[in-house]
Structure formats: structure tokens, C-alpha cells
Amino acid sequence: MITRTSSCPRARPCGLGRSPSCYAEDLLPWQRLNVAAFTISGVAATPSAVGEAYRDASGYEYLPMFNEPVLVFGASADEMKRTAGRARSRGVAFSVFTQDLFSTFNDEDNRGAVAAVETDALDIVGMAFRTDRSVADKILKGLKLLK
């Protein structure tokens, strides 16, 4: 359960945001995991997306994790295009993983593969973003959680 607290260090109230990700339903399991890792890393890079470091009872410190729910949705190719279009039309920045990135092996080539294709022609197989719950709900309307 997400709760609002007065001690929340973020600029907006805790519990009002979402970090959804959306992946093509026809990806192989290893591809889903690969796409998820890459796209969600873009969300982690946004300000205040992660909480504080974790520490166990022995004092060992672990890396911080997201402080908001990460929701994972599945989509057909048409639904991926529609979802990306909805995010763009609302000015919501998102990370993108295209089918072409399965054949590249470094960040420079990844960016080059995306840069070589017009927006409407991108074969998006994964995306992730961070926004307020009400905006996320509009962008994701009609999608189901990935099984």
C-alpha cells in the first residue's frame, strides 16, 4: 500500500506518481528482461525516482531502489505505437527500446539505430516513463498488466 507521509523528501506528495513500463507481448522471456532493464534505467535517471539506500542489521549498505510502484504492461505492436503517441502528445518523456536494438551492442550504436528511423516508423518493443498517476492512466488506457 502506498501512503502519503509528511516526511516525504520529494517535491510532490509521496504515492501520487507512477513508473509504468510497457513491453511487446510477443518478446521472448530473455528479451523482455533485457528490454525492461534498459528502459527502466531511463526512469531511474530522473530526479527523485529512487529512495534512500537500504541497510541490513549488520550495517551493510545496498543500492537504493524506486520509491514508487513500477507497473509492467503488455501491448501489441499497435498498442505500443498508440501508447508512445499518447505519451508524446502529453509531453511525457519516456525511454524507448526498438526491435533494432537487439542487433546492437553498445550505447552509441543504440542511439544511432534510433536516430536513423523517423518517429512514426520506430518499431518500439519497450518503453518506460515516470509521471503522475492520472496522466499515466490516460497514456496506458486499455492496456493490461503483463502476465
Side-chain angles (χ1 to χ4, degrees):
M1 183 167 132
I2 303 169
T3 58
R4 272 176 119 172
T5 65
S6 59
S7 62
C8 181
R10 297 191 331 229
R12 63 183 174 178
C14 285
L16 294 182
R18 287 280 187 257
S19 295
S21 54
C22 183
Y23 307 108
E25 295 170 324
D26 61 350
L27 294 176
L28 297 173
W30 75 266
Q31 290 175 316
R32 282 187 186 173
L33 292 171
N34 187 266
V35 172
F38 276 94
T39 57
I40 208 67
S41 70
V43 174
T46 63
S48 70
V50 296
E52 296 185 28
Y54 287 68
R55 188 180 315 270
D56 65 27
S58 298
Y60 189 86
E61 188 170 296
Y62 302 90
L63 293 173
M65 294 188 283
F66 290 115
N67 55 21
E68 297 171 335
V70 176
L71 306 172
V72 181
F73 293 86
S76 67
D78 288 341
E79 290 170 327
M80 287 298 300
K81 279 190 176 290
R82 182 187 71 209
T83 303
R86 286 177 177 171
R88 285 186 199 102
S89 72
R90 287 169 173 78
V92 175
F94 59 93
S95 57
V96 65
F97 196 103
T98 66
Q99 185 68 38
D100 294 337
L101 301 189
F102 287 119
S103 62
T104 60
F105 300 100
N106 61 66
D107 188 48
E108 184 177 344
D109 290 343
N110 289 349
R111 285 183 278 112
V114 172
V117 181
E118 296 290 331
T119 301
D120 291 337
L122 288 171
D123 185 6
I124 299 173
V125 297
M127 61 183 288
F129 57 93
R130 182 169 180 248
T131 191
D132 292 327
R133 181 182 300 174
S134 62
V135 176
D137 289 346
K138 290 175 185 169
I139 293 170
L140 299 164
K141 187 176 180 180
L143 298 182
K144 303 274 188 242
L145 291 172
L146 187 63
K147 293 183 180 187

PDB file of all heavy atoms in Angstrom, residues 46-79:
ATOM      1  N   THR A  46      15.831   9.790 -13.633  1.00  0.00           N
ATOM      2  CA  THR A  46      15.065  11.019 -13.410  1.00  0.00           C
ATOM      3  C   THR A  46      15.195  11.449 -11.952  1.00  0.00           C
ATOM      4  O   THR A  46      15.361  10.612 -11.061  1.00  0.00           O
ATOM      5  CB  THR A  46      13.574  10.838 -13.784  1.00  0.00           C
ATOM      6  OG1 THR A  46      12.995   9.849 -12.947  1.00  0.00           O
ATOM      7  CG2 THR A  46      13.410  10.466 -15.242  1.00  0.00           C
ATOM      8  N   PRO A  47      15.108  12.763 -11.709  1.00  0.00           N
ATOM      9  CA  PRO A  47      15.264  13.264 -10.339  1.00  0.00           C
ATOM     10  C   PRO A  47      14.254  12.646  -9.375  1.00  0.00           C
ATOM     11  O   PRO A  47      13.085  12.479  -9.707  1.00  0.00           O
ATOM     12  CB  PRO A  47      15.009  14.764 -10.483  1.00  0.00           C
ATOM     13  CG  PRO A  47      15.291  15.069 -11.908  1.00  0.00           C
ATOM     14  CD  PRO A  47      14.899  13.830 -12.671  1.00  0.00           C
ATOM     15  N   SER A  48      14.707  12.284  -8.220  1.00  0.00           N
ATOM     16  CA  SER A  48      13.934  11.749  -7.092  1.00  0.00           C
ATOM     17  C   SER A  48      13.166  10.469  -7.398  1.00  0.00           C
ATOM     18  O   SER A  48      12.200  10.149  -6.730  1.00  0.00           O
ATOM     19  CB  SER A  48      12.986  12.817  -6.509  1.00  0.00           C
ATOM     20  OG  SER A  48      11.929  13.103  -7.393  1.00  0.00           O
ATOM     21  N   ALA A  49      13.618   9.700  -8.389  1.00  0.00           N
ATOM     22  CA  ALA A  49      12.940   8.444  -8.717  1.00  0.00           C
ATOM     23  C   ALA A  49      13.274   7.334  -7.734  1.00  0.00           C
ATOM     24  O   ALA A  49      12.484   6.422  -7.542  1.00  0.00           O
ATOM     25  CB  ALA A  49      13.301   7.993 -10.129  1.00  0.00           C
ATOM     26  N   VAL A  50      14.431   7.416  -7.129  1.00  0.00           N
ATOM     27  CA  VAL A  50      14.830   6.375  -6.189  1.00  0.00           C
ATOM     28  C   VAL A  50      14.855   6.923  -4.769  1.00  0.00           C
ATOM     29  O   VAL A  50      15.040   8.117  -4.556  1.00  0.00           O
ATOM     30  CB  VAL A  50      16.206   5.760  -6.543  1.00  0.00           C
ATOM     31  CG1 VAL A  50      16.159   5.057  -7.879  1.00  0.00           C
ATOM     32  CG2 VAL A  50      17.288   6.803  -6.532  1.00  0.00           C
ATOM     33  N   GLY A  51      14.654   6.023  -3.824  1.00  0.00           N
ATOM     34  CA  GLY A  51      14.684   6.406  -2.422  1.00  0.00           C
ATOM     35  C   GLY A  51      16.091   6.384  -1.877  1.00  0.00           C
ATOM     36  O   GLY A  51      17.070   6.523  -2.623  1.00  0.00           O
ATOM     37  N   GLU A  52      16.184   6.146  -0.597  1.00  0.00           N
ATOM     38  CA  GLU A  52      17.487   6.100   0.055  1.00  0.00           C
ATOM     39  C   GLU A  52      18.047   4.688   0.025  1.00  0.00           C
ATOM     40  O   GLU A  52      17.310   3.729  -0.212  1.00  0.00           O
ATOM     41  CB  GLU A  52      17.349   6.601   1.489  1.00  0.00           C
ATOM     42  CG  GLU A  52      16.939   8.071   1.520  1.00  0.00           C
ATOM     43  CD  GLU A  52      16.918   8.635   2.920  1.00  0.00           C
ATOM     44  OE1 GLU A  52      17.677   8.136   3.781  1.00  0.00           O
ATOM     45  OE2 GLU A  52      16.161   9.588   3.147  1.00  0.00           O
ATOM     46  N   ALA A  53      19.325   4.579   0.276  1.00  0.00           N
ATOM     47  CA  ALA A  53      19.983   3.279   0.299  1.00  0.00           C
ATOM     48  C   ALA A  53      19.374   2.396   1.389  1.00  0.00           C
ATOM     49  O   ALA A  53      18.866   2.891   2.397  1.00  0.00           O
ATOM     50  CB  ALA A  53      21.480   3.453   0.553  1.00  0.00           C
ATOM     51  N   TYR A  54      19.429   1.094   1.164  1.00  0.00           N
ATOM     52  CA  TYR A  54      18.981   0.116   2.150  1.00  0.00           C
ATOM     53  C   TYR A  54      20.182  -0.287   2.997  1.00  0.00           C
ATOM     54  O   TYR A  54      21.316  -0.245   2.543  1.00  0.00           O
ATOM     55  CB  TYR A  54      18.432  -1.131   1.446  1.00  0.00           C
ATOM     56  CG  TYR A  54      17.083  -0.907   0.803  1.00  0.00           C
ATOM     57  CD1 TYR A  54      16.942  -0.069  -0.292  1.00  0.00           C
ATOM     58  CD2 TYR A  54      15.958  -1.544   1.302  1.00  0.00           C
ATOM     59  CE1 TYR A  54      15.708   0.134  -0.877  1.00  0.00           C
ATOM     60  CE2 TYR A  54      14.708  -1.349   0.718  1.00  0.00           C
ATOM     61  CZ  TYR A  54      14.591  -0.505  -0.369  1.00  0.00           C
ATOM     62  OH  TYR A  54      13.369  -0.307  -0.950  1.00  0.00           O
ATOM     63  N   ARG A  55      19.917  -0.682   4.233  1.00  0.00           N
ATOM     64  CA  ARG A  55      20.993  -1.119   5.131  1.00  0.00           C
ATOM     65  C   ARG A  55      20.458  -2.294   5.942  1.00  0.00           C
ATOM     66  O   ARG A  55      19.364  -2.223   6.485  1.00  0.00           O
ATOM     67  CB  ARG A  55      21.404   0.028   6.038  1.00  0.00           C
ATOM     68  CG  ARG A  55      22.632  -0.241   6.867  1.00  0.00           C
ATOM     69  CD  ARG A  55      23.005   0.950   7.753  1.00  0.00           C
ATOM     70  NE  ARG A  55      22.954   2.225   7.061  1.00  0.00           N
ATOM     71  CZ  ARG A  55      23.976   2.796   6.393  1.00  0.00           C
ATOM     72  NH1 ARG A  55      25.125   2.179   6.340  1.00  0.00           N
ATOM     73  NH2 ARG A  55      23.833   3.961   5.813  1.00  0.00           N
ATOM     74  N   ASP A  56      21.244  -3.360   6.001  1.00  0.00           N
ATOM     75  CA  ASP A  56      20.799  -4.514   6.796  1.00  0.00           C
ATOM     76  C   ASP A  56      21.231  -4.342   8.246  1.00  0.00           C
ATOM     77  O   ASP A  56      21.900  -3.359   8.603  1.00  0.00           O
ATOM     78  CB  ASP A  56      21.274  -5.839   6.181  1.00  0.00           C
ATOM     79  CG  ASP A  56      22.777  -6.024   6.186  1.00  0.00           C
ATOM     80  OD1 ASP A  56      23.479  -5.453   7.046  1.00  0.00           O
ATOM     81  OD2 ASP A  56      23.271  -6.776   5.315  1.00  0.00           O
ATOM     82  N   ALA A  57      20.830  -5.284   9.094  1.00  0.00           N
ATOM     83  CA  ALA A  57      21.101  -5.192  10.532  1.00  0.00           C
ATOM     84  C   ALA A  57      22.592  -5.238  10.854  1.00  0.00           C
ATOM     85  O   ALA A  57      23.017  -4.779  11.913  1.00  0.00           O
ATOM     86  CB  ALA A  57      20.365  -6.313  11.275  1.00  0.00           C
ATOM     87  N   SER A  58      23.397  -5.747   9.931  1.00  0.00           N
ATOM     88  CA  SER A  58      24.850  -5.790  10.144  1.00  0.00           C
ATOM     89  C   SER A  58      25.531  -4.513   9.674  1.00  0.00           C
ATOM     90  O   SER A  58      26.739  -4.367   9.822  1.00  0.00           O
ATOM     91  CB  SER A  58      25.448  -6.988   9.387  1.00  0.00           C
ATOM     92  OG  SER A  58      24.905  -8.185   9.879  1.00  0.00           O
ATOM     93  N   GLY A  59      24.770  -3.605   9.086  1.00  0.00           N
ATOM     94  CA  GLY A  59      25.325  -2.343   8.638  1.00  0.00           C
ATOM     95  C   GLY A  59      25.753  -2.311   7.188  1.00  0.00           C
ATOM     96  O   GLY A  59      26.246  -1.289   6.704  1.00  0.00           O
ATOM     97  N   TYR A  60      25.590  -3.429   6.462  1.00  0.00           N
ATOM     98  CA  TYR A  60      25.961  -3.454   5.047  1.00  0.00           C
ATOM     99  C   TYR A  60      24.942  -2.638   4.255  1.00  0.00           C
ATOM    100  O   TYR A  60      23.733  -2.809   4.425  1.00  0.00           O
ATOM    101  CB  TYR A  60      26.035  -4.883   4.511  1.00  0.00           C
ATOM    102  CG  TYR A  60      26.631  -4.944   3.125  1.00  0.00           C
ATOM    103  CD1 TYR A  60      28.004  -5.005   2.945  1.00  0.00           C
ATOM    104  CD2 TYR A  60      25.817  -4.899   2.013  1.00  0.00           C
ATOM    105  CE1 TYR A  60      28.559  -5.031   1.686  1.00  0.00           C
ATOM    106  CE2 TYR A  60      26.359  -4.917   0.733  1.00  0.00           C
ATOM    107  CZ  TYR A  60      27.724  -4.990   0.583  1.00  0.00           C
ATOM    108  OH  TYR A  60      28.262  -5.003  -0.674  1.00  0.00           O
ATOM    109  N   GLU A  61      25.431  -1.761   3.392  1.00  0.00           N
ATOM    110  CA  GLU A  61      24.548  -0.876   2.625  1.00  0.00           C
ATOM    111  C   GLU A  61      24.324  -1.421   1.218  1.00  0.00           C
ATOM    112  O   GLU A  61      25.250  -1.924   0.582  1.00  0.00           O
ATOM    113  CB  GLU A  61      25.150   0.522   2.551  1.00  0.00           C
ATOM    114  CG  GLU A  61      24.209   1.545   1.949  1.00  0.00           C
ATOM    115  CD  GLU A  61      24.719   2.963   2.097  1.00  0.00           C
ATOM    116  OE1 GLU A  61      24.844   3.427   3.243  1.00  0.00           O
ATOM    117  OE2 GLU A  61      25.005   3.570   1.058  1.00  0.00           O
ATOM    118  N   TYR A  62      23.084  -1.289   0.758  1.00  0.00           N
ATOM    119  CA  TYR A  62      22.676  -1.730  -0.582  1.00  0.00           C
ATOM    120  C   TYR A  62      22.199  -0.522  -1.379  1.00  0.00           C
ATOM    121  O   TYR A  62      21.807   0.504  -0.815  1.00  0.00           O
ATOM    122  CB  TYR A  62      21.553  -2.762  -0.475  1.00  0.00           C
ATOM    123  CG  TYR A  62      21.936  -3.960   0.346  1.00  0.00           C
ATOM    124  CD1 TYR A  62      21.717  -3.981   1.722  1.00  0.00           C
ATOM    125  CD2 TYR A  62      22.542  -5.064  -0.243  1.00  0.00           C
ATOM    126  CE1 TYR A  62      22.089  -5.078   2.486  1.00  0.00           C
ATOM    127  CE2 TYR A  62      22.918  -6.165   0.517  1.00  0.00           C
ATOM    128  CZ  TYR A  62      22.683  -6.158   1.880  1.00  0.00           C
ATOM    129  OH  TYR A  62      23.053  -7.240   2.628  1.00  0.00           O
ATOM    130  N   LEU A  63      22.239  -0.649  -2.675  1.00  0.00           N
ATOM    131  CA  LEU A  63      21.798   0.445  -3.548  1.00  0.00           C
ATOM    132  C   LEU A  63      20.327   0.784  -3.322  1.00  0.00           C
ATOM    133  O   LEU A  63      19.526  -0.092  -2.999  1.00  0.00           O
ATOM    134  CB  LEU A  63      21.999   0.054  -5.018  1.00  0.00           C
ATOM    135  CG  LEU A  63      23.444  -0.102  -5.479  1.00  0.00           C
ATOM    136  CD1 LEU A  63      23.471  -0.660  -6.894  1.00  0.00           C
ATOM    137  CD2 LEU A  63      24.181   1.219  -5.392  1.00  0.00           C
ATOM    138  N   PRO A  64      19.970   2.037  -3.512  1.00  0.00           N
ATOM    139  CA  PRO A  64      18.559   2.416  -3.380  1.00  0.00           C
ATOM    140  C   PRO A  64      17.743   1.862  -4.544  1.00  0.00           C
ATOM    141  O   PRO A  64      18.290   1.491  -5.587  1.00  0.00           O
ATOM    142  CB  PRO A  64      18.604   3.942  -3.427  1.00  0.00           C
ATOM    143  CG  PRO A  64      19.840   4.272  -4.175  1.00  0.00           C
ATOM    144  CD  PRO A  64      20.822   3.169  -3.862  1.00  0.00           C
ATOM    145  N   MET A  65      16.443   1.799  -4.341  1.00  0.00           N
ATOM    146  CA  MET A  65      15.523   1.349  -5.387  1.00  0.00           C
ATOM    147  C   MET A  65      14.427   2.387  -5.575  1.00  0.00           C
ATOM    148  O   MET A  65      14.354   3.373  -4.833  1.00  0.00           O
ATOM    149  CB  MET A  65      14.919  -0.003  -5.001  1.00  0.00           C
ATOM    150  CG  MET A  65      15.949  -1.135  -4.960  1.00  0.00           C
ATOM    151  SD  MET A  65      15.230  -2.765  -4.723  1.00  0.00           S
ATOM    152  CE  MET A  65      14.859  -2.758  -2.984  1.00  0.00           C
ATOM    153  N   PHE A  66      13.583   2.159  -6.556  1.00  0.00           N
ATOM    154  CA  PHE A  66      12.476   3.080  -6.817  1.00  0.00           C
ATOM    155  C   PHE A  66      11.629   3.290  -5.571  1.00  0.00           C
ATOM    156  O   PHE A  66      11.415   2.369  -4.798  1.00  0.00           O
ATOM    157  CB  PHE A  66      11.570   2.543  -7.935  1.00  0.00           C
ATOM    158  CG  PHE A  66      12.200   2.572  -9.279  1.00  0.00           C
ATOM    159  CD1 PHE A  66      12.470   1.404  -9.961  1.00  0.00           C
ATOM    160  CD2 PHE A  66      12.521   3.774  -9.886  1.00  0.00           C
ATOM    161  CE1 PHE A  66      13.050   1.430 -11.209  1.00  0.00           C
ATOM    162  CE2 PHE A  66      13.102   3.811 -11.125  1.00  0.00           C
ATOM    163  CZ  PHE A  66      13.371   2.631 -11.792  1.00  0.00           C
ATOM    164  N   ASN A  67      11.105   4.506  -5.430  1.00  0.00           N
ATOM    165  CA  ASN A  67      10.238   4.803  -4.302  1.00  0.00           C
ATOM    166  C   ASN A  67       8.767   4.871  -4.721  1.00  0.00           C
ATOM    167  O   ASN A  67       7.936   5.314  -3.942  1.00  0.00           O
ATOM    168  CB  ASN A  67      10.687   6.089  -3.598  1.00  0.00           C
ATOM    169  CG  ASN A  67      10.769   7.264  -4.534  1.00  0.00           C
ATOM    170  OD1 ASN A  67      10.156   7.277  -5.596  1.00  0.00           O
ATOM    171  ND2 ASN A  67      11.524   8.274  -4.160  1.00  0.00           N
ATOM    172  N   GLU A  68       8.464   4.454  -5.922  1.00  0.00           N
ATOM    173  CA  GLU A  68       7.093   4.405  -6.433  1.00  0.00           C
ATOM    174  C   GLU A  68       6.876   3.053  -7.100  1.00  0.00           C
ATOM    175  O   GLU A  68       7.836   2.404  -7.513  1.00  0.00           O
ATOM    176  CB  GLU A  68       6.856   5.504  -7.481  1.00  0.00           C
ATOM    177  CG  GLU A  68       7.004   6.887  -6.939  1.00  0.00           C
ATOM    178  CD  GLU A  68       6.987   7.944  -8.038  1.00  0.00           C
ATOM    179  OE1 GLU A  68       7.332   7.642  -9.191  1.00  0.00           O
ATOM    180  OE2 GLU A  68       6.634   9.078  -7.722  1.00  0.00           O
ATOM    181  N   PRO A  69       5.635   2.639  -7.230  1.00  0.00           N
ATOM    182  CA  PRO A  69       5.373   1.359  -7.895  1.00  0.00           C
ATOM    183  C   PRO A  69       5.868   1.375  -9.344  1.00  0.00           C
ATOM    184  O   PRO A  69       5.772   2.388 -10.029  1.00  0.00           O
ATOM    185  CB  PRO A  69       3.850   1.239  -7.880  1.00  0.00           C
ATOM    186  CG  PRO A  69       3.361   2.250  -6.924  1.00  0.00           C
ATOM    187  CD  PRO A  69       4.406   3.304  -6.809  1.00  0.00           C
ATOM    188  N   VAL A  70       6.396   0.249  -9.776  1.00  0.00           N
ATOM    189  CA  VAL A  70       6.754   0.053 -11.176  1.00  0.00           C
ATOM    190  C   VAL A  70       5.735  -0.936 -11.725  1.00  0.00           C
ATOM    191  O   VAL A  70       5.698  -2.092 -11.309  1.00  0.00           O
ATOM    192  CB  VAL A  70       8.184  -0.498 -11.338  1.00  0.00           C
ATOM    193  CG1 VAL A  70       8.487  -0.780 -12.809  1.00  0.00           C
ATOM    194  CG2 VAL A  70       9.199   0.478 -10.763  1.00  0.00           C
ATOM    195  N   LEU A  71       4.901  -0.469 -12.605  1.00  0.00           N
ATOM    196  CA  LEU A  71       3.846  -1.291 -13.184  1.00  0.00           C
ATOM    197  C   LEU A  71       4.295  -1.771 -14.555  1.00  0.00           C
ATOM    198  O   LEU A  71       4.841  -0.989 -15.334  1.00  0.00           O
ATOM    199  CB  LEU A  71       2.556  -0.486 -13.294  1.00  0.00           C
ATOM    200  CG  LEU A  71       2.087   0.152 -11.982  1.00  0.00           C
ATOM    201  CD1 LEU A  71       0.921   1.085 -12.236  1.00  0.00           C
ATOM    202  CD2 LEU A  71       1.729  -0.912 -10.973  1.00  0.00           C
ATOM    203  N   VAL A  72       4.059  -3.038 -14.858  1.00  0.00           N
ATOM    204  CA  VAL A  72       4.533  -3.624 -16.110  1.00  0.00           C
ATOM    205  C   VAL A  72       3.331  -4.066 -16.941  1.00  0.00           C
ATOM    206  O   VAL A  72       2.558  -4.923 -16.514  1.00  0.00           O
ATOM    207  CB  VAL A  72       5.475  -4.810 -15.843  1.00  0.00           C
ATOM    208  CG1 VAL A  72       5.984  -5.396 -17.147  1.00  0.00           C
ATOM    209  CG2 VAL A  72       6.643  -4.372 -14.959  1.00  0.00           C
ATOM    210  N   PHE A  73       3.200  -3.483 -18.120  1.00  0.00           N
ATOM    211  CA  PHE A  73       2.082  -3.761 -19.013  1.00  0.00           C
ATOM    212  C   PHE A  73       2.564  -4.460 -20.277  1.00  0.00           C
ATOM    213  O   PHE A  73       3.696  -4.273 -20.706  1.00  0.00           O
ATOM    214  CB  PHE A  73       1.386  -2.454 -19.411  1.00  0.00           C
ATOM    215  CG  PHE A  73       0.695  -1.781 -18.263  1.00  0.00           C
ATOM    216  CD1 PHE A  73       1.389  -0.929 -17.423  1.00  0.00           C
ATOM    217  CD2 PHE A  73      -0.652  -2.013 -18.022  1.00  0.00           C
ATOM    218  CE1 PHE A  73       0.750  -0.315 -16.350  1.00  0.00           C
ATOM    219  CE2 PHE A  73      -1.295  -1.403 -16.954  1.00  0.00           C
ATOM    220  CZ  PHE A  73      -0.592  -0.558 -16.119  1.00  0.00           C
ATOM    221  N   GLY A  74       1.682  -5.234 -20.878  1.00  0.00           N
ATOM    222  CA  GLY A  74       1.953  -5.869 -22.163  1.00  0.00           C
ATOM    223  C   GLY A  74       1.154  -5.167 -23.245  1.00  0.00           C
ATOM    224  O   GLY A  74       0.092  -4.604 -22.971  1.00  0.00           O
ATOM    225  N   ALA A  75       1.668  -5.190 -24.468  1.00  0.00           N
ATOM    226  CA  ALA A  75       0.979  -4.499 -25.557  1.00  0.00           C
ATOM    227  C   ALA A  75       1.304  -5.153 -26.892  1.00  0.00           C
ATOM    228  O   ALA A  75       2.398  -5.678 -27.084  1.00  0.00           O
ATOM    229  CB  ALA A  75       1.400  -3.030 -25.588  1.00  0.00           C
ATOM    230  N   SER A  76       0.357  -5.073 -27.798  1.00  0.00           N
ATOM    231  CA  SER A  76       0.596  -5.486 -29.179  1.00  0.00           C
ATOM    232  C   SER A  76       1.387  -4.371 -29.863  1.00  0.00           C
ATOM    233  O   SER A  76       1.580  -3.294 -29.285  1.00  0.00           O
ATOM    234  CB  SER A  76      -0.740  -5.691 -29.901  1.00  0.00           C
ATOM    235  OG  SER A  76      -1.403  -4.437 -30.032  1.00  0.00           O
ATOM    236  N   ALA A  77       1.816  -4.608 -31.090  1.00  0.00           N
ATOM    237  CA  ALA A  77       2.569  -3.581 -31.830  1.00  0.00           C
ATOM    238  C   ALA A  77       1.738  -2.309 -31.985  1.00  0.00           C
ATOM    239  O   ALA A  77       2.250  -1.195 -31.793  1.00  0.00           O
ATOM    240  CB  ALA A  77       2.993  -4.125 -33.189  1.00  0.00           C
ATOM    241  N   ASP A  78       0.458  -2.450 -32.317  1.00  0.00           N
ATOM    242  CA  ASP A  78      -0.408  -1.274 -32.462  1.00  0.00           C
ATOM    243  C   ASP A  78      -0.595  -0.552 -31.133  1.00  0.00           C
ATOM    244  O   ASP A  78      -0.603   0.680 -31.082  1.00  0.00           O
ATOM    245  CB  ASP A  78      -1.775  -1.673 -33.032  1.00  0.00           C
ATOM    246  CG  ASP A  78      -1.707  -2.046 -34.507  1.00  0.00           C
ATOM    247  OD1 ASP A  78      -0.718  -1.664 -35.179  1.00  0.00           O
ATOM    248  OD2 ASP A  78      -2.645  -2.719 -34.984  1.00  0.00           O
ATOM    249  N   GLU A  79      -0.742  -1.320 -30.064  1.00  0.00           N
ATOM    250  CA  GLU A  79      -0.891  -0.703 -28.744  1.00  0.00           C
ATOM    251  C   GLU A  79       0.385   0.016 -28.313  1.00  0.00           C
ATOM    252  O   GLU A  79       0.323   1.065 -27.663  1.00  0.00           O
ATOM    253  CB  GLU A  79      -1.286  -1.756 -27.711  1.00  0.00           C
ATOM    254  CG  GLU A  79      -2.706  -2.271 -27.890  1.00  0.00           C
ATOM    255  CD  GLU A  79      -3.013  -3.480 -27.017  1.00  0.00           C
ATOM    256  OE1 GLU A  79      -2.091  -4.293 -26.764  1.00  0.00           O
ATOM    257  OE2 GLU A  79      -4.180  -3.600 -26.602  1.00  0.00           O
TER     258      GLU A  79
END
